[in-house]
Amino acid sequence: MSRDLSPLIGSVERSYPLDCLSDTHDYHQLLVGLGGRVDVEVEGRGAAMGPGSVCLIPAAATHHYLGLDADNRCRVLDLPVGEAVDTLFERIRFLRLAPEEAAGLDDERLLARLGGAPAWRGPRLNMASLTRRVQADPAAPWSLARLAEASRLSERQLRRSLTEITGLTPWQWLTRQRLALAERLLMTSDASLTEIALACGFADGAQFSRHFRRWRGQPPSAFRRVR
């Protein structure tokens, strides 16, 4: 095993932003949770990964990353396609290791350990997919029923999974998504506060300002002046 894998190995530690990123590449990728949480979606399959969770991303598989905690940390191995690892990456898989194994094993022993690792059984909610849906149309009337339908979960399952992953209710989470988008628009556009408020799903500029002040400790007009 070591002779075959040693030329391929070289892990790095990364953290992922709280925005959803997408990628596709011609090499295999192994993602191992070290701290915080990251939601990963691969070809429609997703999991909220914490310390010890593992995602096997085969070459050419479209995948999406979403940091769920600002302090998330992941161990990432990019592995060229070849006989030494192709069997391991023959399909998309989410696995589970003890957190100390995920952090303590060297790359070669980590790869060898994955053959016997159990499946990861995390919350059913695909956060990356739901986030992309909301960010694509933040001004839509996102009721609990509509969020649940987009998640392919019941309202009860969505509420429970979202609270387990983020610590927020569905309404709190939706408001955070809208505020994050509004903050980006404040930094990158010259649109008026009312235009930004409506584009992000707030009823008017006053409602937007109230939520933004609670979130950032200052009104959006002051935030924009110091950008």
Side-chain angles (χ1 to χ4, degrees):
M1 188 88 169
S2 62
R3 184 182 66 248
D4 292 336
L5 291 178
S6 56
L8 309 178
I9 297 168
S11 64
V12 297
E13 185 173 311
R14 297 176 186 163
S15 61
Y16 292 93
L18 305 183
D19 294 321
C20 194
L21 304 177
S22 301
D23 202 1
T24 305
H25 38 66
D26 59 1
Y27 49 84
H28 304 304
Q29 189 170 77
L30 178 68
L31 187 68
V32 184
L34 297 178
R37 294 165 299 170
V38 175
D39 192 85
V40 183
E41 179 192 351
V42 188
E43 300 289 4
R45 296 181 57 194
M49 298 176 53
S53 53
V54 178
C55 180
L56 294 165
I57 306 173
T62 299
H63 47 284
H64 311 277
Y65 303 101
L66 172 65
L68 301 176
D69 300 308
D71 60 349
N72 70 82
R73 295 184 301 113
C74 292
R75 180 178 177 180
V76 182
L77 292 85
D78 295 335
L79 303 170
V81 173
E83 292 183 3
V85 293
D86 282 355
T87 300
L88 184 63
F89 287 87
E90 63 186 356
R91 67 184 188 280
I92 299 162
R93 285 188 290 167
F94 292 92
L95 305 175
R96 175 171 52 84
L97 295 175
E100 58 270 19
E101 286 186 306
L105 293 175
D106 62 34
D107 294 339
E108 189 174 340
R109 287 188 296 160
L110 175 64
L111 288 170
R113 174 69 178 85
L114 294 180
W120 171 256
R121 303 295 184 189
R124 293 180 57 192
L125 176 60
N126 187 332
M127 284 293 299
S129 177
L130 180 61
T131 299
R132 292 200 315 280
R133 295 282 295 274
V134 169
Q135 289 181 347
D137 193 6
W142 287 106
S143 63
L144 179 61
R146 184 167 180 170
L147 288 169
E149 181 182 2
S151 305
R152 299 180 181 177
L153 298 175
S154 69
E155 294 181 19
R156 181 180 178 184
Q157 288 172 326
L158 172 63
R159 192 189 304 274
R160 183 175 62 248
S161 295
L162 196 57
T163 300
E164 179 180 347
I165 293 170
T166 69
L168 303 172
T169 67
W171 176 247
Q172 290 171 331
W173 176 83
L174 176 63
T175 301
R176 290 281 183 89
Q177 296 303 309
R178 288 170 165 167
L179 286 169
L181 176 58
E183 182 178 280
R184 289 195 291 273
L185 291 176
L186 286 171
M187 297 173 65
T188 61
S189 81
D190 294 322
S192 70
L193 296 186
T194 298
E195 289 172 333
I196 290 175
L198 297 177
C200 294
F202 295 97
D204 50 40
Q207 185 194 51
F208 167 49
S209 293
R210 287 195 301 272
H211 281 289
F212 195 91
R213 182 189 291 270
R214 286 197 294 266
W215 189 47
R216 290 304 189 199
Q218 60 181 332
S221 56
F223 178 87
R224 170 174 264 177
R225 284 197 296 269
V226 298
R227 67 182 182 182

